[in-house]
Amino acid sequence: PTDEHLVSEGEMAKLIPTLPLETRYPRFPLRRLSGFWLPEFVLPGVAAAHARFDPRPDDVVLASFPKSGTTWLKALAFATMHRDRHPAAGHPLRRGSPHECVKFLEVSFALAGNKEDDDVFASLPSPRVLATHLPYHLLPDRVGRVVYVCRDPKDAFVSGWLFTHKAMADKQVAPPPHTLEEAFELFCEGRCMCGPQWRHVLGYWEASRRWPEDTNTNKVLFLRYEEMLLDPAGNVRRLAEFLGHPFSREEEAAGTVDAVVDLCSIHSLKKATANVGGATTTELGVRHGSFFRKGKAGGWRDHLTPEMAARLDAVVAQALHGSGLTF
Ligand code: A3P
């Protein structure tokens, strides 16, 4: 594919039915656009975001392959960027979900449909914090600062498999008829939501390496979920510096970094009103609480055989060979 993703909103509507289709897993149709399997319902939102999103220099876009730490990154970036506006007590993250605080770019445009002509985020005060699961080359131009979180694909697969079942139950839809082995095979073929996973990661990783030498590119900070677990405070400092809002000496002395880490820990987010039981759901009908499970590294061992792990590792290693990126 060449520039098929740069089509107008009208052309996208005509293009969608012609794109390769995957319906086996998950339960919603995926279409292959520009080498990536994206949810069909999101594609009009991709064209709309290209046409209507009006980037601001201080925008922050949080990017990820699904089930790689998006919810955590949303909480951390929101808490860090808006720490002056929201003191710890009564913080929005104590009540609401990170997914209510930070919306997905392409989903918001897709859900808005043709009702609105302009940027659906126009009324959000600066600095805006947004999120995306789009691959790097499908982002609208000049989105400003991008933070990517990457996770071991084996854990992302397992997390996604378990999440899919929870999300189906939340939406009272029958669970996928496929076995874990079948879903795993599709993942290894790259035929999964936003897959291939390794190509998704590589796009952002290469972009992160181009900056700061190449000033024509978006600034990309590349974080790893496993490193964030090992050193949350260090990664929050990196995040704050990258976002142009480093912690001052006074804040360091006052323990502000640890306060952000605690506020955004899986344990405290799980207790927020929106995330308890079935309190509230996303616009797509998934309970906010379903985004929290164990939050650990290496949990794939409980679900994948060593042979399956070796197969995916080999697929990824071969695809990334020579790139310098490893897992
Ligand atoms: P597990 O299913 O392995 O536990 P995403 O947010 O991209 O959908 O990813 C979901 C994964 O991130 C889940 O992984 C979830 O438990 C974990 N997660 C959610 N919030 C977290 C947090 N605050 N800290 C660490 N991990 C978190």
Side-chain angles (χ1 to χ4, degrees):
T2 50
D3 280 351
E4 62 180 8
H5 58 280
L6 296 177
V7 299
S8 69
E9 291 175 73
E11 286 162 345
M12 180 64 94
K14 287 190 223 127
L15 178 67
I16 291 171
T18 71
L19 296 172
L21 176 67
E22 177 58 73
T23 55
R24 285 171 285 179
Y25 172 84
R27 281 304 280 268
F28 45 85
L30 304 176
R31 295 275 184 182
R32 199 180 65 213
L33 178 73
S34 196
F36 285 87
W37 292 96
L38 303 177
E40 187 181 66
F41 82 90
V42 138
L43 296 181
V46 177
H50 277 260
R52 300 189 234 165
F53 181 62
D54 190 9
R56 299 178 196 161
D58 58 356
D59 282 340
V60 177
V61 177
L62 311 174
S64 57
F65 180 81
K67 313 323 290 178
S68 299
T70 321
T71 314
W72 192 14
L73 181 61
K74 281 185 174 187
L76 290 171
F78 182 84
T80 301
M81 286 305 281
H82 297 314
R83 63 186 186 269
D84 303 331
R85 203 181 298 170
H86 302 297
H91 195 282
L93 287 168
R94 299 235 181 253
R95 301 186 303 275
S97 159
H99 295 288
E100 294 170 304
C101 298
V102 180
K103 300 282 184 189
F104 286 106
L105 182 76
E106 61 278 14
V107 176
S108 297
F109 274 102
L111 294 178
N114 292 327
K115 288 196 294 286
E116 298 175 44
D117 286 338
D118 22 288
D119 180 358
V120 294
F121 295 103
S123 61
L124 211 60
S126 293
R128 300 183 297 186
V129 186
L130 314 171
T132 186
H133 282 322
L134 290 179
Y136 182 76
H137 73 283
L138 290 185
L139 289 181
D141 290 337
R142 301 173 291 109
V143 289
R145 293 160 302 175
V146 178
V147 183
Y148 188 75
V149 60
C150 142
R151 188 182 193 189
D152 182 326
K154 301 187 288 305
D155 280 335
F157 167 76
V158 167
S159 182
W161 167 257
L162 299 171
F163 174 79
T164 296
H165 284 79
K166 274 198 271 181
M168 295 288 137
D170 293 347
K171 293 160 73 147
Q172 300 185 328
V173 176
H178 306 288
T179 62
L180 178 138
E181 287 73 17
E182 287 164 329
F184 182 75
E185 203 45 45
L186 290 169
F187 191 95
C188 289
E189 290 169 22
R191 300 173 81 98
C192 58
M193 180 168 150
C194 301
Q197 185 266 359
W198 45 93
R199 206 178 290 163
H200 199 282
V201 178
L202 186 60
Y204 283 93
W205 187 78
E206 286 178 338
S208 77
R209 310 246 307 176
R210 284 198 291 275
W211 182 80
E213 284 75 26
D214 179 356
T215 44
N216 286 324
T217 181
N218 294 312
K219 292 185 197 174
V220 181
L221 174 68
F222 189 88
L223 299 176
R224 287 183 183 256
Y225 181 81
E226 295 77 11
E227 289 174 3
M228 290 164 62
L229 286 176
L230 289 174
D231 180 15
N235 279 282
V236 167
R237 287 192 185 94
R238 281 180 75 195
L239 181 66
E241 264 165 47
F242 177 79
L243 297 179
H245 203 8
F247 292 95
S248 66
R249 215 172 291 157
E250 294 73 29
E251 285 180 309
E252 286 283 355
T256 310
V257 179
D258 290 337
V260 168
V261 169
D262 287 346
L263 175 70
C264 301
S265 74
I266 191 162
H267 307 290
S268 64
L269 291 181
K270 269 183 183 178
K271 284 190 262 170
T273 329
N275 301 326
V276 175
T280 56
T281 69
T282 66
E283 297 93 333
L284 302 176
V286 178
R287 292 189 303 163
H288 285 126
S290 295
F291 288 85
F292 306 97
R293 199 179 61 94
K294 291 192 171 173
K296 298 257 184 307
W300 60 264
R301 288 187 182 80
D302 297 335
H303 300 272
L304 304 182
T305 64
E307 292 73 29
M308 291 166 91
R311 157 134 169 74
L312 180 53
D313 284 345
V315 167
V316 174
Q318 193 188 5
L320 297 181
H321 182 74
S323 71
L325 173 64
T326 52
F327 282 97

